[in-house]
Structures are given as structure tokens and as C-alpha cells.
Amino acid sequence: MFDAVPEWRMGLHLAVGADERAYLVIGGEVAVAVEEIGTPIEPVERVAYLTSSWLRPDCPRREELFEEWLDYLWPTPELRPVGGAEPGVLGSEAGLRVATPTESGATNRLATAPADGGQLPFATRSQAGTVVYRWEPFPVSRRCRAGGSEIAAASFAAPEQERPFMPSGFAAASRLALPSLLPACFLYALEPAAGTAIECGTAGPMSDGGVRMRFPHATPTRARIAAPAVLPPL
């Protein structure tokens, strides 16, 4: 269901569970429960994220091992997208139930957070040689599939000039103001067709100064999308 829902931030969606808690949906694959401050935090290492073989640059069976990792995670309750999403219910999927400490009351504010469109006040169009990048936490993208030739509608990216500032997964999460526990270690290079509409602006006051872009429409690419480069988490 999240494939058809506009992104809230790069690689992130907002959702509300049947348990009435707020969730971050990461990469369209993993749901993270957001809790108020004071609740226990279940260690992410329980699911062996940073030691996962599919995070290694030389992994020969990356996608297969990633799918096995997903199968290891706990199921979520039914989820409903929020923030401009169409009505509907997402059936139980593999999910990572990790409580993240936030300021008191953040759960409700997250569930009703406005779309980020207000922070992308400028419009432009891609040029014949434009290259943009996406940093994602997983080796399989649901917004710009390797081997495909289209960027999904309402997907975020960053201009080529931003790449030197995000050499690692955690650096990307910080600069792009991604409120996610997971580093964005998989770097996709995208070549949008010339003349493509692009919305642009800053990554917001919580970022390290990044610039972001969004493709409001499904966008063909000039070449097949290559498999992502693998960045170190730190």
C-alpha cells in the first residue's frame, strides 16, 4: 500500500496502527513504533542490523539475505497511512517494533504531521545531464527499483552536489533530517528524463543543512537504474 502513498521524508512514511500508536514506515518494508519518552527502548541489535551480511559491500546474495532478515522481524498490527494517504488498511507485514524516545506527546503530533510540501516552495525542471541521488536503508528500493526505468511519484531525492556531504549511512540520515533509527547505507544514482518537473527546497531546520528535491509525478529515467552503491554506516 505504501508504494502508492507520497513519501513524508526520503524513504519514510507515517502510519497509525490498529493499536492507535504512531509508526514510521521505513523503505515501505519495516514499521517502527514511536513512543513517548520514558518507555523502554528495545535494542535494534536484537535484529542484528549493523552486523547483517547484506550490509557488506562484497555480499554476493544481498537481496536474498535481506529478505531472510525481514522474515526474522516481528509482525506489526494493521497500519493505516497518514499524511495525504488514500483510505485503506495495510495487512500485517514484517515489522521492527522498536520504541524510539521522543519528547512528550510526540506520538500524536507525528500522526497528524503535515506533508513536507510546504518546505519545497521552489519548482524547476531537470536538464539533459541531471543526476540525482537517493539514500535508502535497504538494498531493495520500492521507489526506484534497480533494473527499472522509473522513479515513483512523490519520491524524494537530492542533487548531485549533496553527495560529498553524505559519505555514510548515518551522515545521510542526519543531513536529510530523517527521524529514523536506521542509517541510509544504499545510494541510488538516478538520471531523470530531461524536462522533468522537480520541487525543491531545504531539508528543514532539523537537518545539517541539506537540500532536497521531490518528483511530483512518476518520472522516467534516461537509463536503467543501477544497483545501489553500499556506504558504511559510520
Side-chain angles (χ1 to χ4, degrees):
M1 176 178 290
F2 288 97
D3 289 356
V5 176
E7 287 190 309
W8 176 61
R9 302 270 178 91
M10 188 183 296
L12 297 177
H13 290 87
L14 301 178
V16 173
D19 55 2
E20 296 303 319
R21 292 196 294 175
Y23 287 80
L24 279 174
V25 177
I26 303 174
E29 298 278 5
V30 173
V32 179
V34 179
E35 300 288 354
E36 294 184 4
I37 192 168
T39 56
I41 303 173
E42 182 171 340
V44 178
E45 282 309 305
R46 179 181 177 89
V47 294
Y49 177 81
L50 289 180
T51 57
S52 297
S53 57
W54 52 266
L55 268 179
R56 300 172 188 163
D58 59 348
C59 179
R61 299 167 46 235
R62 192 181 312 283
E63 294 187 14
E64 178 184 348
L65 293 172
F66 170 65
E67 292 296 332
E68 291 179 3
W69 181 81
L70 285 180
D71 289 340
Y72 177 77
L73 305 182
W74 297 356
T76 67
E78 291 184 335
L79 298 177
R80 174 173 54 85
V82 297
E86 293 296 322
V89 175
L90 179 69
S92 293
E93 298 284 350
L96 173 60
R97 295 174 62 87
V98 178
T100 60
T102 59
E103 59 181 318
S104 180
T107 297
N108 290 335
R109 282 197 293 276
L110 174 63
T112 58
D116 273 356
Q119 296 179 22
L120 297 169
F122 300 99
T124 186
R125 291 190 176 272
S126 59
Q127 304 300 312
T130 296
V131 178
V132 302
Y133 290 88
R134 273 181 64 88
W135 285 257
E136 298 198 14
F138 303 135
V140 178
S141 174
R142 304 189 68 88
R143 313 295 293 187
C144 54
R145 296 176 186 271
S149 55
E150 185 176 83
I151 305 167
S155 294
F156 284 95
E160 190 171 15
Q161 292 83 350
E162 285 289 293
R163 184 178 179 182
F165 300 105
M166 292 179 269
S168 70
F170 282 120
S174 175
R175 188 167 179 85
L176 295 170
L178 305 181
S180 166
L181 289 177
L182 304 185
C185 293
F186 295 92
L187 176 61
Y188 292 82
L190 308 173
E191 302 178 42
T196 295
I198 296 174
E199 302 164 331
C200 54
T202 68
M206 301 302 291
S207 77
D208 283 348
V211 177
R212 61 179 166 176
M213 314 159 68
R214 182 170 59 190
F215 296 94
H217 313 295
T219 298
T221 56
R222 304 191 304 273
R224 294 282 181 182
I225 298 171
V230 183
L231 304 177
L234 294 173

